[in-house]
Amino acid sequence: MKPLKAIAFMLIMMMASSCKDAKHQNASETVSEEKTNIKKDKEMKILFVLTSHDQLGDTGKKTGFWVEEFASPYYALLDKGAQITIATPKGGAAPIDPSSDTPDAATDATKRFDHDAEAKTKIANTKVLSDMNPDDFDAVFYPGGHGPLWDLANDSVSIALIEKFNSQDKPIAFVCHAPAALKDVKDAQGNPLVKGKNVTGFTNTEEAAVQLTDVVPFLVEDMLKKNGAVYSKKDDWAPYVLQDGNLITGQNPASSELVAEKLLESLK
């Protein structure tokens, strides 16, 4: 009988151990599922701010936002799971700079945009900027084009929005002409936000190359320097991006995807 009792005892212990392992496995699976759900729930919400301005000074020509500077960051962020909301000062259709919508200016991102009905619908039906609440977003991104020099540079809603994002220490990103939107933005002490910050933006020589130095209301490079920024640049049209704290700036259209990459890194 003793051997039988011993065997029975061993069987009971094995069954108890098996149940314990099963419970542990179920618990681990539950924790894993919870982590997966948490990861899915924590989605990046990014606000894109585009210009509403479509007149290139007194030239009679059209301007707006530069397609590459929108499309490349848009898809770089969208493909990483970001939820992107697009807003403009006036709402409705955001004007595309005709010069950016040509075969010579085409990139893989702009070609994707050309065949993306959903993205085109978003551009045609942007939200009104004054309806946007920085509390609802993790970051803000400003694509360039010449349009921002006329409206976003002086838009009180945009200025207040950038200041709010900055006070919350959220990433604020700009490329090419978009740093124009920083012209009147202040920090918590009332100083220009870019004062003492390492920044870049469309260069004076790049503006001269497109023959618009005497057309634009101000030059991005000059404005940033005037506001006390530590401005630097690379060769004309070369990709160049700087990050100083939560402020990210790119020099030109070729820098747009790099700005998006810096933005993504900041959100990890």
Side-chain angles (χ1 to χ4, degrees):
M1 293 295 291
K2 287 184 180 180
L4 290 175
K5 287 183 178 179
I7 292 170
F9 178 76
M10 289 174 64
L11 288 172
I12 291 169
M13 292 299 293
M14 288 172 65
M15 290 174 64
S17 176
S18 177
C19 290
K20 184 177 179 182
D21 290 342
K23 288 180 180 178
H24 177 74
Q25 185 176 2
N26 290 337
S28 297
E29 289 174 352
T30 301
V31 170
S32 179
E33 288 174 2
E34 287 176 353
K35 286 181 178 178
T36 300
N37 289 334
I38 289 171
K39 188 175 182 181
K40 285 181 179 178
D41 290 339
K42 190 180 179 182
E43 294 176 311
M44 297 175 290
K45 295 183 179 180
I46 302 173
L47 178 63
F48 272 44
V49 180
L50 298 177
T51 181
S52 288
H53 187 84
D54 67 353
Q55 297 297 315
L56 190 60
D58 299 324
T59 63
K61 296 179 180 179
K62 294 289 188 179
T63 188
F65 73 89
W66 199 263
V67 179
E68 161 64 19
E69 295 169 27
F70 162 78
S72 187
Y74 177 78
Y75 292 117
L77 295 166
L78 190 71
D79 291 346
K80 293 296 184 180
Q83 291 184 5
I84 298 173
T85 299
I86 305 172
T88 56
K90 295 180 179 179
I96 293 175
D97 189 316
S99 297
S100 72
D101 194 22
T102 64
D104 290 343
T107 64
D108 288 342
T110 64
K111 291 174 184 176
R112 181 174 171 182
F113 174 70
D114 287 340
H115 297 92
D116 189 341
E118 184 178 352
K120 283 181 171 290
T121 297
K122 288 182 179 180
I123 291 297
N125 299 276
T126 67
K127 307 292 185 182
V128 178
L129 189 58
S130 59
D131 291 338
M132 299 297 100
N133 184 347
D135 295 339
D136 296 334
F137 300 95
D138 301 306
V140 65
F141 172 69
Y142 281 67
H146 283 90
L149 293 167
W150 278 274
D151 63 351
L152 293 173
N154 309 298
D155 189 276
S156 60
V157 172
S158 175
I159 292 166
L161 181 138
I162 296 169
E163 290 177 346
K164 182 69 178 294
F165 269 99
N166 185 61
S167 70
Q168 296 174 334
D169 201 29
K170 293 176 179 177
I172 50 177
F174 310 80
V175 67
C176 199
H177 286 90
L182 294 165
K183 181 168 73 74
D184 293 328
V185 176
K186 307 295 184 184
D187 62 17
Q189 289 71 45
N191 298 312
L193 179 64
V194 298
K195 185 177 181 180
K197 297 284 186 71
N198 294 294
V199 301
T200 189
F202 205 61
T203 69
N204 290 352
T205 49
E206 287 170 329
E207 200 69 81
V210 296
Q211 301 179 2
L212 291 174
T213 301
D214 297 327
V215 173
V216 295
F218 62 90
L219 298 173
V220 173
E221 178 180 340
D222 286 354
M223 178 276 291
L224 291 170
K225 290 177 177 177
K226 182 179 178 181
N227 280 354
V230 181
Y231 179 89
S232 62
K233 59 186 176 181
K234 295 294 186 183
D235 292 339
D236 288 357
W237 318 117
Y240 186 51
V241 173
L242 288 173
Q243 180 168 3
D244 194 327
N246 63 320
L247 175 61
I248 303 166
T249 50
Q251 179 176 318
N252 47 38
S255 311
S256 57
E257 189 168 355
L258 293 177
V259 171
E261 290 174 3
K262 288 286 187 184
L263 185 55
L264 276 171
E265 290 172 8
S266 299
L267 290 171
K268 289 180 181 179

